[in-house]
Amino acid sequence: SADIGTLTRLPDTFEEIESIASELSQTPSDVIFTGKKASEQQVKSMQLDNRKIVMFATHALVPGDLDGLHQPALALSAPEVTGDPGDGLLTMEEVLHLKLDADWVVLSACNTGAAEEAGAEALSGLGQAFFYAGTKAILVTMWPVETTSAKILTTGLFRFQKNDANMTRAQALRKSILDLIDNQKIVDATTNEIIASYAHPLFWAPFVIVGNGGS
């Protein structure tokens, strides 16, 4: 009975994915799946073991977030949008059936490192499922994240790695966090004045690399 149509839209996510594709010198139409293309069926049916980076920028859900949801899941486009069968959710169980050979999976969403259930070990939900599916590392969040700062942080991470081929994933995450703290500001759209910064841990502390943090 889960209804993902009740979830709020995340307008920054397309810009986030598009910017990262650009940093990786990829053609957006070949590697980005949004709207009708961001379907549960698309993820399950496409070849993923030839992708070295797999990224989801969306809502991540924990059990109970939607009525009838009993395991962690990623929200994809609703069946009303895609016209495909299913509920539009990529659940932990469905992630376990994916076949990956990725250097890493990036989950730019809330609570992607959360436990499967109360009292469970850390990273026992979506994160662990992606490891079983075949990734070497994963970027997860340990609690809810703010969408604009998440876009800046993940895009910066890939930009720093692009500019320094010897930089590890862990080092790139650290540099992107420091850039968010020191240089990125929140500007009033009307007055163009700086009203706040992203220095508070709320904006950057949730992001953690688990697994191989190397090059």
Side-chain angles (χ1 to χ4, degrees), residues 81-155:
V81 174
T82 65
D84 291 340
D87 55 13
L89 298 173
L90 187 68
T91 64
M92 181 184 70
E93 182 178 356
E94 290 166 331
V95 171
L96 287 168
H97 288 90
L98 299 179
K99 290 181 172 59
L100 305 177
D101 186 23
D103 289 334
W104 63 333
V105 170
V106 177
L107 300 181
S108 182
C110 298
N111 296 311
T112 50
E116 181 181 349
E117 58 187 10
E121 64 182 85
L123 204 74
S124 65
L126 282 171
Q128 192 174 79
F130 275 104
F131 276 114
Y132 282 126
T135 185
K136 300 176 183 67
I138 187 167
L139 178 70
V140 294
T141 59
M142 304 310 294
W143 59 78
V145 296
E146 189 274 328
T147 180
T148 304
S149 55
K151 176 184 69 175
I152 297 170
L153 188 149
T154 57
T155 303

Side-chain angles (χ1 to χ4, degrees), residues 8-153:
T8 57
R9 290 184 173 273
L10 300 172
D12 284 322
T13 55
F14 176 75
E15 294 179 16
E16 180 180 4
I17 292 286
E18 190 175 46
S19 297
I20 290 172
S22 176
E23 294 293 349
L24 296 172
S25 302
Q26 298 294 306
T27 303
S29 59
D30 293 339
V31 298
I32 296 177
F33 300 87
T34 60
K36 290 184 178 181
K37 293 182 178 180
S39 69
E40 180 185 355
Q41 185 61 30
Q42 174 72 45
V43 176
K44 291 179 179 178
S45 61
M46 69 185 295
Q47 183 180 2
L48 291 172
D49 60 3
N50 63 347
R51 314 278 174 140
K52 291 303 178 184
I53 300 171
V54 177
M55 179 172 180
F56 293 88
T58 182
H59 286 287
L61 307 171
V62 295
D65 277 353
L66 294 178
D67 183 31
L69 181 63
H70 301 297
Q71 55 183 295
L74 293 171
L76 301 171
S77 292
E80 293 77 14
V81 174
T82 65
D84 291 340
D87 55 13
L89 298 173
L90 187 68
T91 64
M92 181 184 70
E93 182 178 356
E94 290 166 331
V95 171
L96 287 168
H97 288 90
L98 299 179
K99 290 181 172 59
L100 305 177
D101 186 23
D103 289 334
W104 63 333
V105 170
V106 177
L107 300 181
S108 182
C110 298
N111 296 311
T112 50
E116 181 181 349
E117 58 187 10
E121 64 182 85
L123 204 74
S124 65
L126 282 171
Q128 192 174 79
F130 275 104
F131 276 114
Y132 282 126
T135 185
K136 300 176 183 67
I138 187 167
L139 178 70
V140 294
T141 59
M142 304 310 294
W143 59 78
V145 296
E146 189 274 328
T147 180
T148 304
S149 55
K151 176 184 69 175
I152 297 170
L153 188 149

